[in-house]
Every structure is written in C-alpha cells, then in structure tokens.
C-alpha cells in the first residue's frame, strides 16, 4: 500500500542504484512514462515486473484508478524515461493524490540532470533556483522578465532546437555578458560543458549545431 518514486539513469545505465533495482523487482506494478523506453532498462537489469503506461497525456484520466489500486493493497513504483519522477516529468499529481488519501510515498535518491550540471558549472551553487523548461509561447517573456532581478544561479532545461532562441532571449533580457554554463549529454559518452558569456555561447552554438538535451546554468550577478 505505497508508491515508490524511482529515479532511472539519464544516460549511463551504471547509474542505476542497487536499491532501485530491488524495489522495481519487488513492487506489484511499475508505472512507466514510456513502456518501450523503460522496457529496455528493465530488460537490462532482468526485471520482469509488469508495467502500466503513465504519462502526462493520461495521468489525469487514470490517477484515481491507480491510487485506488494502491489503497486496495498493491505497491507500485513510478519511473520516467530518465531522471527523478516529478522533476520536469510526471510525479507531482500522483504524489498529491497519494497524500490526500493518507497513503505512503517514498522517493529514492538517484539520477537527475540539473545537479551535476550545476556543480560543475563554476557558477555559485550554494543557492540556486530551478526553472526547468521555459514556457514555449504564452507567458515566456513574462517569466524571463520576472527572473531579471534573481540573485541566485538559475538552472533551465532546454531542447536542442530551442537552445539558440533561449540564448537570444537571455541576451535581450539580461545582457550579452552574463555568465553561463551549458551542459549536454550528462553521464553519456559525448558529455560536454560550455562555459562563457551569453554572447560567446550564441557564437559557439551558431557554428556547432546543438545536439542532445541541455542543462543551462545562468548567473545574472
């Protein structure tokens, strides 16, 4: 009668913890963001627990059904395609429903992209704010403007096809000389970190086409 939030590797399969493998073997059901992606992970670790698709497009429809099954005695684990559930991925809604029903939720520590990106950025990391993905259209400029007086390092997630647009927005709102660190493919074979000013980053990525998923750490101070 509990739910485990289980982080999965963000690239390097060796980052799966012993505890995570044990939990996924022991639960009655695994809620997976994409069963095809998670199927490869489970196969690698010889985990045979059945899966149920649970993602942002169906969670509002099935969350009550899932919680009722847990209330009836099942134990489940939630995993996403990569990283920690709830961090720019499904996890919040079912956690809130579990708490509302007086049911136990246990979050395992494990892989998440923004922590390693932040600590190797060279930017202050004693205090920071995690923004995740910026709004694509509605509310984007308002959010950027809201952050202009932020004194803590700001951490964003960004996709390759939007990276240059986001860097341009940073230049327009915060200036060309702000310090930035851009990390890609963390834990993977082609892991890279670019550090410099926003202006320099724009020049760099105009030449080198962005590939992979990015974590962007930005200091406005």
């Amino acid at each position: 009668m509990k739910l485990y939030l289980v982080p999965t590797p963000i690239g390097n399969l060796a980052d799966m913890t012993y505890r995570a493998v044990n939990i996924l073997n022991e639960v009655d059901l695994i809620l997976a963001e994409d069963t095809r992606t998670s199927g490869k992970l489970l196969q690698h670790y010889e985990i045979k627990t059945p899966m149920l698709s649970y993602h942002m497009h169906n969670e509002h429809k099935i969350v009550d059904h899932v919680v009722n099954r847990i209330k009836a005695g099942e134990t489940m684990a939630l995993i996403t395609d990569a990283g920690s559930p709830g961090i720019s991925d499904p996890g919040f809604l079912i956690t809130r429903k579990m708490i509302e029903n007086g049911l136990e939720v246990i979050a395992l520590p494990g892989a998440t992209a923004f922590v390693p990106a932040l600590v190797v950025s060279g930017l202050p990391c004693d205090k920071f704010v995690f923004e995740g993905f910026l709004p694509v259209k509605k509310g984007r400029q308002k959010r950027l403007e809201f952050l202009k007086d932020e004194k803590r390092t700001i951490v964003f997630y960004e996709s390759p096809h939007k990276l240059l647009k986001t860097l341009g927005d940073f230049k327009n709102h915060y200036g060309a000389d702000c310090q930035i660190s851009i990390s890609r493919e963390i834990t993977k074979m082609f892991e890279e970190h670019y550090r410099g000013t926003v202006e320099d980053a724009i020049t760099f990525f105009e030449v080198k086409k962005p590939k992979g998923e990015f974590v962007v750490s930005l200091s406005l101070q």
Side-chain angles (χ1 to χ4, degrees):
M1 294 180 62
K2 65 181 67 171
L3 173 71
Y4 290 96
L5 306 177
V6 180
T8 54
I10 58 176
N12 192 324
L13 289 179
D15 290 333
M16 192 74 169
T17 67
Y18 290 114
R19 186 182 176 203
V21 172
N22 289 338
I23 291 296
L24 294 181
N25 270 312
E26 293 169 1
V27 296
D28 300 304
L29 182 68
I30 296 172
L31 305 173
E33 184 179 8
D34 186 325
T35 55
R36 294 166 298 181
T37 299
S38 296
K40 298 174 184 177
L41 177 71
L42 300 191
Q43 184 178 21
H44 179 82
Y45 285 101
E46 299 181 348
I47 298 168
K48 303 188 184 305
T49 307
M51 288 185 289
L52 176 68
S53 181
Y54 182 91
H55 48 75
M56 63 179 294
H57 301 295
N58 75 348
E59 60 178 341
H60 287 274
K61 296 178 182 178
I62 70 169
V63 66
D64 289 326
H65 169 71
V66 170
V67 170
N68 285 334
R69 286 180 59 172
I70 296 173
K71 189 185 296 186
E74 293 186 65
T75 295
M76 299 186 191
L78 173 64
I79 60 176
T80 59
D81 291 348
S84 297
I87 305 297
S88 295
D89 275 325
F92 163 69
L93 179 62
I94 192 169
T95 297
R96 183 173 63 180
K97 289 282 187 179
M98 290 286 292
I99 294 169
E100 288 174 353
N101 282 271
L103 299 170
E104 187 175 9
V105 182
I106 298 174
L108 275 62
T112 189
F114 78 83
V115 173
L118 175 63
V119 298
V120 302
S121 69
L123 301 176
C125 56
D126 56 331
K127 295 181 177 65
F128 65 93
V129 56
F130 175 69
E131 281 290 312
F133 289 98
L134 283 165
V136 177
K137 293 181 181 179
K138 185 178 180 181
R140 182 181 178 90
Q141 299 307 316
K142 185 177 180 180
R143 190 65 191 173
L144 287 163
E145 189 65 19
F146 174 82
L147 293 169
K148 71 177 183 179
D149 296 321
E150 181 58 65
K151 293 179 171 55
R152 298 165 292 181
T153 298
I154 313 171
V155 184
F156 303 88
Y157 283 164
E158 194 51 275
S159 59
H161 62 281
K162 292 192 179 74
L163 180 64
L164 279 169
K165 172 179 171 55
T166 295
L167 293 177
D169 284 338
F170 290 165
K171 179 180 177 180
N172 292 335
H173 282 268
Y174 312 133
D177 295 329
C178 289
Q179 292 296 308
I180 197 167
S181 175
I182 302 172
S183 302
R184 67 179 289 269
E185 301 295 86
I186 293 173
T187 79
K188 300 178 185 178
M189 183 180 297
F190 300 106
E191 176 174 337
E192 291 182 333
H193 306 275
Y194 178 87
R195 304 172 182 92
T197 66
V198 169
E199 184 70 66
D200 290 341
I202 291 172
T203 301
F204 179 83
F205 284 104
E206 281 178 340
V207 175
K208 183 173 183 177
K209 185 177 179 180
K211 294 180 180 179
E213 298 301 318
F214 291 86
V215 182
V216 180
S217 302
L218 177 70
S219 176
L220 305 184
Q221 302 305 306

